[in-house]
Amino acid sequence: MTRTESAPLTTEMPLDRPAVPLSWARGSVDAMLADAARAYPARAAILGDGVEISYAELDAAATDWARTLHRVFDEPPGTVAVAQAPDPRFPAVYYGILRAGGTAAVVNPLLPDHVLAHVLRLSKARLAVVPSQVRERLLPLLDTLPDLKHVLVLGEDLADDDGDWFPPAAPAEEDRAVMLFTSGSTGVPKAVQLSHRNIKVNAAQMAAAHRIDSSSTVLLHLPIYHPMHMNTTVSVAATQVVCTSSRPAEAIELANRTAATHYYTFPVRLLELAAEPELSSWRLDTVSLIASGGTAVPPRVVRALADTFGLQLLQGYGMCETSSLASLDVPDAPRAGSVGLPLDGSTIRIVDPGSGDVLPAGGIGEIRIHGPHVMQGYLGHDGPSPVDEDGWLATGDMGYLDEDGYLYMFDRVKDAFRCGDELVSPTSVERRLDAHPAVRDCAVVGGSDPVLGTSAVAFVALHDGAEAGILDSVLAEVNSELTEGQRIRRAEVVATIPRLATGKVARDELRARLAGA
């Protein structure tokens, strides 16, 4: 289909991508595990830390946790928090909460104490299952958590319970199943409410998009146990390998040892992998797909990995509000710099942030998403909902769609700035700057300009051995490739670029540094 430059563009899943039977995503999330255990009881569900857990064992462990919660509360448990530590025992707790008729509030154990306390209060969790070190951090905070009555340690043996226990009635597919928490990059974290249907649909969407099936072995080299990957593998009875080491060399070795077919990791770890001195001698024997999300991976890193492994890095885009995933690059037809096409059954469009008008291909504006994976809403949030009456989610992120509907994501809308009449994306400037051979890392923000009002200010970390005086020539080269509004008019050499735990640039910190100066 050919589109004219003036035609508004809304993109859906292409016809040649495997379709997802969305009607299949009915019933409770934990039913996916029960179905997999019935079909493949002896198959390895989880490998990691020297343990192998079959689907039959994982299903039984989830039921044990459901019994434990019934024993503690003698009723459906309400909201139970579980820390997503990279521990092979995390899935049993997650599915056990749902099997007991509760809501699983999935909590990042790496959160600072005050943020951890905030998300537990917000969720109204009655019980928390956490690693022992997180339990020690929670104990002094219990007086500030009126709803939290019990704290159990992840991995402790559960007491035997021979009493009768009958699973609660199956929930409706629109009942709340899971709570995820936003990163808090625009303020304090918000509690995102997701239904059983949201979770099961998104698992089916991702499995179809990345061609994960019962023959797949998925390696997770992540600092936390992300439910998105877990639900996807369980939905098709695939095997998931949990790599708890942060070292890239150990992840590569584990992928080869377990014959992994899919390799999922974090952008920061890809940067570390690309910087390994021995990278050129490494191989991935069975992996056919490497994928990442959360923030953009610099082109130089993508090229280094492609040269070494012969695989194009696939990048995706999503957020808690879309049950974690919204778009994925296409394995057979990846596009450099793109985060791919929308998932089956969903739609993406770009709108002008001011007027709300849908923009044509190439038009940079706010990303909006529609589909069965869009959240139910925020819990305890007094502000306006980002989901309009027609079900469109305003993401607060900037990007554009190309003529074929591939999405290119840049920044948060709040991070973009106008220089003269031009709307400038800091990420688009960073990509040009990062491509310079003298630049090790960089970040760009809009800073006050006495003539233009706002213009690009760059913070640059140079490679070891590069002289600070080289910065002027770097800027001259980079600026020659930028538009007038994008041009970097101030720059500062720094040792490191401040980043959030997700790997994203901590732009608020950099803007505060500028304001202080």
Side-chain angles (χ1 to χ4, degrees), residues 198-212:
N198 286 152
I199 298 295
K200 292 189 73 176
V201 164
N202 202 233
Q205 288 173 318
M206 181 170 171
H210 271 183
R211 299 166 194 177
I212 301 172

Side-chain angles (χ1 to χ4, degrees), residues 24-64:
W24 169 84
R26 293 195 175 114
S28 63
V29 170
D30 73 286
M32 296 191 303
L33 173 58
D35 290 344
R38 278 192 295 269
Y40 304 98
R43 174 169 294 163
I46 304 168
L47 302 174
D49 279 347
V51 302
E52 178 174 330
I53 303 172
S54 71
Y55 268 101
E57 291 168 334
L58 178 57
D59 188 57
T63 297
D64 286 343

Side-chain angles (χ1 to χ4, degrees), residues 281-474:
S281 65
W282 292 353
R283 295 292 179 268
L284 284 169
D285 298 331
T286 55
V287 169
S288 60
L289 183 149
I290 304 177
S292 177
T295 188
V297 178
R300 59 181 170 80
V301 173
V302 175
R303 289 193 298 271
L305 298 178
D307 291 343
T308 298
F309 300 119
L311 297 170
Q312 181 69 36
L313 173 70
L314 301 183
Q315 299 187 66
Y317 167 70
M319 58 196 64
C320 297
E321 291 89 338
T322 59
S323 307
S324 292
L325 204 63
S327 71
L328 281 171
D329 209 353
V330 181
D332 292 339
R335 297 201 177 178
S338 171
V339 291
L341 294 164
L343 301 177
D344 182 17
S346 65
T347 311
I348 292 177
R349 66 187 185 189
I350 307 296
V351 306
D352 182 279
S355 67
D357 293 338
V358 180
L359 299 177
I364 296 177
E366 184 180 20
I367 301 168
R368 300 214 172 160
I369 301 171
H370 189 280
H373 56 339
V374 171
M375 69 171 181
Q376 294 180 313
Y378 297 126
L379 176 68
H381 181 64
D382 296 331
S385 172
V387 182
D388 68 18
E389 59 184 11
D390 295 321
W392 284 95
L393 170 69
T395 65
D397 289 326
M398 282 183 59
Y400 73 90
L401 295 168
D402 69 14
E403 287 285 354
D404 297 315
Y406 281 73
L407 176 64
Y408 296 77
M409 185 266 176
F410 289 135
D411 313 276
R412 298 292 294 172
V413 171
K414 74 180 186 69
D415 291 327
F417 58 89
R418 286 199 175 273
C419 181
D421 293 330
E422 186 176 347
L423 182 63
V424 178
S425 155
T427 297
S428 63
V429 180
E430 289 166 358
R431 288 177 181 173
R432 298 290 181 88
L433 186 56
D434 185 81
H436 193 284
V439 175
R440 174 168 51 83
D441 200 2
C442 63
V444 171
V445 296
S448 177
D449 187 296
V451 176
L452 299 169
T454 307
S455 62
V457 180
F459 296 85
V460 183
L462 299 170
H463 280 293
D464 294 341
E467 299 290 337
I470 199 176
L471 184 61
D472 287 343
S473 64
V474 169

